[in-house]
Amino acid sequence: MEETEPIRMPLIGDEAPSFKATTTQGEINFPKDYKGKWVVLFSHPADFTPVCTTEFMTFATMEDEFRELNTELIGLSIDGIHAHIAWLRTIKEKIEYKGMKDVEVNFPVIADIKMEVAKKFGMVQLGASDTQAVRAVFIIDPKNKVRAILYYPLSNGRNMQEIKRMVIAMQKSDAEQIATPANWQPGDDVIIPPPGSCGMAKERVEAKEEGKYCLDWFMCFKKGEK
């Protein structure tokens, strides 16, 4: 029985693997070309597939929204550069979906025929396919640390608004040293980290500080700005 190479992927908190790659926007050198920026690196199974087409159109129409968050998009599949270009041209010239038409994909799409980048990020999973990358998303911060990982099956498209929400939430956590509760949306109340001692816990519960409230000693919130 032929042995297969074990799947390896960076984990949350790891350095994102570096790579150079040919893309639809020329060669990129990661992370050097993205110094000081957040990056959403995402893979798709193949060009000229319907689910991928809806994803790329949605991401393309949101590119400016991500740029406002100091975040760049990078796509990847193990198709070649000419297939990428032909597919993106078809999207712009022929596809209209949910009010989106004449959509131009300006973010780089990596041509990864040899699967070099996909294997570095664990995007090829043999249980799903050995010829296609699964729908992986890596959110990488300006220090080139992997901050979030999402994996979807080949059959189901991603929620791009959720990816944007995660970027906003992590940026807010970094800036304010807070956490965000379940289903948090920008402007909602945020969680203050739990106290480190009994004395601090008592003080926190008894304190009456404007804009802050506690449900118990370990669960205190700061009101959002809606």
Side-chain angles (χ1 to χ4, degrees):
M1 182 176 178
E2 183 180 350
E3 291 187 3
T4 58
E5 185 179 344
I7 298 294
R8 290 185 174 89
M9 59 179 279
L11 303 177
I12 290 175
D14 288 350
E15 290 271 346
S18 60
F19 62 85
K20 291 182 180 180
T22 300
T23 82
T24 52
Q25 298 293 322
E27 184 175 273
I28 61 172
N29 184 351
F30 181 88
K32 182 179 178 182
D33 294 343
Y34 294 87
K35 187 176 181 180
K37 296 182 180 294
W38 289 73
V39 172
V40 174
L41 172 63
F42 65 100
S43 57
H44 66 282
D47 298 343
F48 292 101
T49 54
V51 176
C52 298
T53 298
T54 63
E55 290 187 323
F56 267 64
M57 293 179 75
T58 306
F59 257 143
T61 58
M62 294 175 64
E63 186 174 16
D64 288 343
E65 297 175 38
F66 280 99
R67 283 250 169 92
E68 289 175 3
L69 299 171
N70 190 35
T71 302
E72 298 291 332
L73 303 173
I74 306 175
L76 175 148
S77 88
I78 54 182
D79 288 308
I81 192 69
H82 298 297
H84 284 351
I85 292 170
W87 178 45
L88 299 186
R89 183 178 297 169
T90 298
I91 288 174
K92 178 172 174 54
E93 296 176 356
K94 296 182 179 181
I95 306 299
E96 181 175 351
Y97 171 71
K98 285 194 172 181
M100 296 181 287
K101 63 179 180 178
D102 301 319
V103 174
E104 189 162 1
V105 176
N106 292 314
F107 56 80
V109 184
I110 296 170
D112 196 29
I113 293 177
K114 295 182 179 179
M115 301 187 238
E116 292 173 349
V117 179
K119 286 180 178 178
K120 283 187 175 184
F121 283 85
M123 293 169 169
V124 177
Q125 300 193 358
L126 301 182
S129 172
D130 59 1
T131 60
Q132 294 180 324
V134 295
R135 298 184 196 284
V137 181
F138 287 83
I139 301 178
I140 302 162
D141 71 15
K143 296 179 181 179
N144 196 39
K145 297 289 187 181
V146 175
R147 296 293 297 275
I149 304 170
L150 297 169
Y151 270 78
Y152 290 72
L154 301 178
S155 57
N156 302 107
R158 289 163 278 211
N159 186 322
M160 281 50 180
Q161 289 294 338
E162 167 61 6
I163 295 169
K164 178 184 173 184
R165 187 194 75 91
M166 289 181 66
V167 171
I168 294 172
M170 288 186 289
Q171 290 181 351
K172 188 172 183 67
S173 292
D174 287 357
E176 301 180 17
Q177 300 302 301
I178 52 84
T180 54
N183 295 329
W184 180 86
Q185 293 293 332
D188 289 351
D189 298 354
V190 297
I191 296 172
I192 303 168
S197 69
C198 294
M200 289 178 62
K202 186 174 185 294
E203 289 176 11
R204 174 175 289 184
V205 173
E206 293 177 350
K208 302 296 181 183
E209 188 175 347
E210 186 177 354
K212 296 181 181 179
Y213 61 94
C214 292
L215 304 183
D216 203 336
W217 67 267
F218 68 95
M219 197 168 185
C220 294
F221 292 80
K222 181 171 71 173
K223 290 184 178 179
E225 300 174 359
K226 290 188 177 180

